[in-house]
Amino acid sequence: MKTILASAFLLVISTNIFASTIDSHSIPVLGAEIEENFSLSSTQTRTAYKKETIPQTCFRAEIVGYRNECAYYPEVRCYETRDSARVCNPVPVYRCQQVANYRQVPYICYQTITTPYDVPDHNVKANFVIKINKAPKEPGSPTDHCEVGFVLEGENLKTTADCKEFLLISTQSKKVDFDQTGAVVHNYDFAVNLLNAEDTIAPLEGGIAEMHMEGHTLVFRTGDLSKNSNIALKLFVEKRHLLKSDETLINRTITSNDYSFEKTNEHFGIVKVNLDKLLGGFNDSKKHVIKVGLSVNLPNGVLLNTKAPVMSVESTLIVNN
């Protein structure tokens, strides 16, 4: 047993030794412009396989004797009647026979198994040129903990941001080369834009609420659209028919010319959409399904925030149900 445990322990150690190594670096984000250069090093592994023939216990059936088994068995017997008619009937006949007794006998057999394991393949070096642009405005209160992290495991790079104050949008380029030692060199160029998280998602605060009709005008409450005009407001209106197919009146993103927004307080405002003007008329005696979707448009790039906020909301209203 000690030998088996020792072998298993050595296998775990060897697996850990040859796993792809990890190197990491993090940069604190406070809202000011940052330029930083650094390098990370790692080892990329590959999977190899080894075959082993191992002994194990198998079983086979062997005869260890015989036993006498007797029983009545049906047997057809025939005879002729006085008028020479042939009659056949089943008759029980008592018979005995020798039956073999078996037992399972263990023996040593061998099985070939294939075991995967990691072996070092090549070294990896990653060089980074990072530029984090200044936030559009200074934080109104002391910033929470905020940093962007770079983790290199083998040739795989993972970039994440742990941040509530800002949304981090990254664009990057990469060039791959080799150095004199044969190591693979990744040269990364990152540009990170900072967006004020509170202002960016301000239009979505509270979702789309209190949606109703005032005459032929659709009215609903949203967050403060004046804090971020880079939004998409999508309107879907479908007229329901009883005896024919339903009719889609509109299904598109509407522009600021198609609606009005009135701010009611620091956080919310009212949106009004004149359906007569937008649809060329609205028959409120018919059943309609109205869906409104509101989403925030982000600049081109990858959102790095690990815990990203909700970027879209929607609501549905049924008219004359």
Side-chain angles (χ1 to χ4, degrees):
M1 178 62 74
K2 289 183 178 180
T3 302
I4 296 175
L5 290 175
S7 299
F9 181 67
L10 289 174
L11 179 60
V12 171
I13 291 177
S14 63
T15 301
N16 288 337
I17 289 175
F18 294 123
S20 293
T21 58
I22 297 176
D23 196 5
S24 63
H25 181 76
S26 61
I27 302 174
V29 178
L30 301 175
E33 182 176 303
I34 299 173
E35 292 190 23
E36 187 170 330
N37 300 341
F38 61 92
S39 297
L40 299 177
S41 298
S42 181
T43 300
Q44 176 66 50
T45 61
R46 59 180 174 84
T47 302
Y49 300 88
K50 62 180 178 180
K51 291 186 177 181
E52 294 179 287
T53 301
I54 59 173
Q56 60 181 14
T57 301
C58 296
F59 293 87
R60 59 172 173 256
E62 291 186 357
I63 297 176
V64 294
Y66 294 87
R67 66 184 184 277
N68 196 37
E69 287 189 355
C70 300
Y72 285 96
Y73 298 92
E75 184 177 288
V76 178
R77 291 185 178 180
C78 301
Y79 62 92
E80 290 185 358
T81 63
R82 291 179 179 180
D83 56 358
S84 299
R86 185 176 176 82
V87 178
C88 296
N89 291 309
V91 177
V93 177
Y94 189 74
R95 290 180 179 174
C96 297
Q97 62 181 349
Q98 293 291 305
V99 178
N101 289 326
Y102 293 90
R103 71 175 179 181
Q104 296 296 317
V105 179
Y107 68 97
I108 299 299
C109 60
Y110 296 89
Q111 180 185 18
T112 300
I113 61 173
T114 301
T115 304
Y117 64 101
D118 289 339
V119 296
D121 189 75
H122 59 271
N123 293 325
V124 181
K125 183 177 181 181
N127 300 317
F128 294 84
V129 177
I130 308 293
K131 182 178 180 180
I132 301 177
N133 295 324
K134 184 179 179 181
K137 73 175 186 178
E138 295 294 331
S141 59
T143 59
D144 295 327
H145 171 78
C146 182
E147 65 179 20
V148 57
F150 302 85
V151 180
L152 182 69
E153 182 176 3
E155 289 207 35
N156 297 318
L157 175 66
K158 183 178 181 181
T159 308
T160 59
D162 180 13
C163 191
K164 294 181 180 179
E165 188 76 33
F166 303 109
L167 299 180
L168 287 78
I169 310 296
S170 168
T171 57
Q172 70 175 72
S173 62
K174 181 179 75 169
K175 293 181 179 179
V176 181
D177 203 349
F178 299 89
D179 66 12
Q180 64 274 14
T181 67
V184 178
V185 180
H186 294 204
N187 296 303
Y188 290 96
D189 194 337
F190 274 86
V192 181
N193 287 323
L194 301 181
L195 301 179
N196 182 282
E198 182 179 352
D199 287 350
T200 300
I201 63 173
L204 307 178
E205 185 173 354
I208 297 173
E210 303 172 12
M211 189 155 68
H212 62 282
M213 296 294 297
E214 293 181 1
H216 292 178
T217 299
L218 176 66
V219 181
F220 53 90
R221 192 197 73 192
T222 66
D224 189 354
L225 303 187
S226 66
K227 291 183 178 179
N228 181 10
S229 60
N230 194 9
I231 59 170
L233 186 60
K234 187 173 182 179
L235 178 64
F236 170 83
V237 179
E238 182 181 69
K239 182 191 290 186
R240 296 291 174 88
H241 294 285
L242 185 62
L243 300 177
K244 63 178 182 178
S245 299
D246 299 330
E247 180 183 1
T248 298
L249 304 181
I250 188 172
N251 185 18
R252 65 172 175 84
T253 299
I254 60 177
T255 68
S256 57
N257 295 326
D258 299 321
Y259 65 88
S260 65
F261 173 76
E262 181 181 352
K263 187 170 179 176
T264 55
N265 57 38
E266 184 180 352
H267 300 283
F268 303 109
I270 298 297
V271 174
K272 294 184 179 182
V273 183
N274 187 323
L275 297 184
D276 273 338
K277 178 181 178 182
L278 188 61
L279 305 178
F282 183 77
N283 186 353
D284 57 9
S285 66
K286 300 294 184 180
K287 181 178 179 180
H288 290 78
V289 175
I290 302 176
K291 296 180 182 180
V292 175
L294 177 62
S295 59
V296 170
N297 296 324
L298 296 178
N300 292 332
V302 177
L303 180 64
L304 300 182
N305 294 65
T306 304
K307 297 180 180 179
V310 174
M311 291 295 175
S312 62
V313 292
E314 63 178 25
S315 185
T316 300
L317 173 68
I318 298 179
V319 177
N320 197 25
N321 191 9

